[in-house]
Amino acid sequence: MSSRKPSGSTKKPTGSKTSSSKTSGSKSYLPFIIIGGVLLAAIGAGAMLYRSSGTDAPSSAGSTSTTSSPSSQATLPPQRVSPANAPVGAQPPHVRGDVGAPVTIEEFADFQCPSCARLHAELKKIEGEYGSKLRVIFRNFPLPSMHEHAIDAARAAEAAGRQKRFWEMHDMLYEKQDIWKNDPDVQATYTGYARTLGLNPEQFKADMNAPAIIERVLADQTRGRSLGVTGTPTLFLNGREVDPKTMSADGLRAQIDAALAGTKK
């Protein structure tokens, strides 16, 4: 997703919450036809919901989208509900950490978002520090109108997930973001990453084009919009949205510690 928090060159992971390469052959257009059709349906449904709510429809509380950079503007109005009542998103979700961890961070992110890449580096350290006390759920929230390869990257991660390598591809996409973000042939690059991870490249390419993969991405986006997500990265810690101003490494540690103290009480 394009970044939701104000973008900048700071070293902290806070920042702005911020289509595919040209390939020959009719098959290369298949995923875009699928994406286009499903996105049109999703946009139509979102527009109907927005119109039916009237002009007094609530906006995302605490949202900074009005002050974020032009590349971070979301295309649909948020339909905020409580996490318990929100659509469940892709099932099963991608989870890293102990299932019984007392603290859960649910992250909505875009693989091409620079702020997401910065947060990834810090969040991975934090995961190691807290061990079994913390688990992280990743949700795809690509904003293709802002990031050219956002959907392709989400599809690549999901395709790797079909061969039990989602998190390995997740990490590689963030760590190599500066390499592939301007790549004219990202699908070939992602297939190369798949080979590096020991995946079957032919299965990987087929899975990238599978409708079920697109459906998983859209399911995560639907959950995010229902929670009022308008940009990336957006985090929910034990069901409560993390203030963008506190989404630094130290800020996250403080909130995790507070949550752990609360569970002990």
Side-chain angles (χ1 to χ4, degrees):
M1 30 177 142
S2 147
S3 318
R4 159 165 113 80
K5 282 86 189 183
S7 106
S9 59
T10 61
K11 294 183 180 179
K12 290 183 178 181
T14 56
S16 61
K17 291 185 176 186
T18 27
S19 282
S20 173
S21 59
K22 299 179 181 179
T23 57
S24 60
S26 60
K27 289 185 179 180
S28 63
Y29 293 97
L30 177 59
F32 298 97
I33 294 172
I34 295 170
I35 294 167
V38 183
L39 283 178
L40 283 174
I43 291 171
M48 289 177 66
L49 285 171
Y50 183 63
R51 285 197 297 271
S52 67
S53 65
T55 56
D56 296 327
S59 61
S60 172
S63 170
T64 59
S65 62
T66 56
T67 59
S68 54
S69 62
S71 66
S72 68
Q73 300 304 310
T75 57
L76 289 178
Q79 303 290 328
R80 181 175 286 277
V81 299
S82 69
N85 295 326
V88 295
Q91 294 298 311
H94 296 296
V95 181
R96 183 151 63 183
D98 195 308
V99 66
V103 177
T104 296
I105 290 178
E106 184 174 17
E107 177 187 15
F108 290 83
D110 177 326
F111 284 110
Q112 200 174 345
C113 164
S115 296
C116 295
R118 290 193 293 271
L119 177 64
H120 160 73
E122 296 298 337
L123 192 54
K124 195 170 182 182
K125 293 177 186 176
I126 290 173
E127 289 177 48
E129 293 169 8
Y130 286 89
S132 62
K133 298 177 182 179
L134 174 68
R135 69 170 183 159
V136 174
I137 299 173
F138 181 87
R139 299 289 185 186
N140 278 298
F141 202 86
L143 294 180
S145 62
M146 296 77 171
H147 293 139
E148 180 183 9
H149 302 312
I151 287 181
D152 283 334
R155 289 165 52 218
E158 290 293 341
R162 285 199 166 184
Q163 296 186 56
K164 311 300 183 184
R165 292 291 186 276
F166 171 83
W167 288 105
E168 290 83 352
M169 181 64 80
H170 165 281
D171 293 350
M172 186 171 287
L173 288 171
Y174 277 131
E175 291 158 11
K176 296 182 179 294
Q177 185 188 86
D178 285 340
I179 297 175
W180 59 260
K181 66 182 182 181
N182 297 317
D183 197 326
D185 190 0
V186 287
Q187 292 198 29
T189 299
Y190 298 154
T191 301
Y193 294 165
R195 289 192 179 93
T196 299
L197 295 174
L199 306 184
N200 180 313
E202 295 308 315
Q203 180 183 339
F204 174 80
K205 288 188 286 186
D207 287 339
M208 274 194 70
N209 294 328
I213 292 295
I214 305 301
E215 290 170 5
R216 283 186 60 86
V217 175
L218 288 171
D220 280 350
Q221 287 183 310
T222 297
R223 176 172 172 80
R225 289 194 187 100
S226 74
L227 293 172
V229 174
T230 59
T232 56
T234 295
L235 303 182
F236 291 85
L237 194 154
N238 283 358
R240 299 186 65 178
E241 185 172 357
V242 175
D243 188 329
K245 296 178 182 178
T246 66
M247 206 183 294
S248 65
D250 289 341
L252 288 174
R253 289 186 181 95
Q255 292 174 81
I256 293 170
D257 289 341
L260 289 171
T263 57
K264 289 179 181 178
K265 292 179 182 178

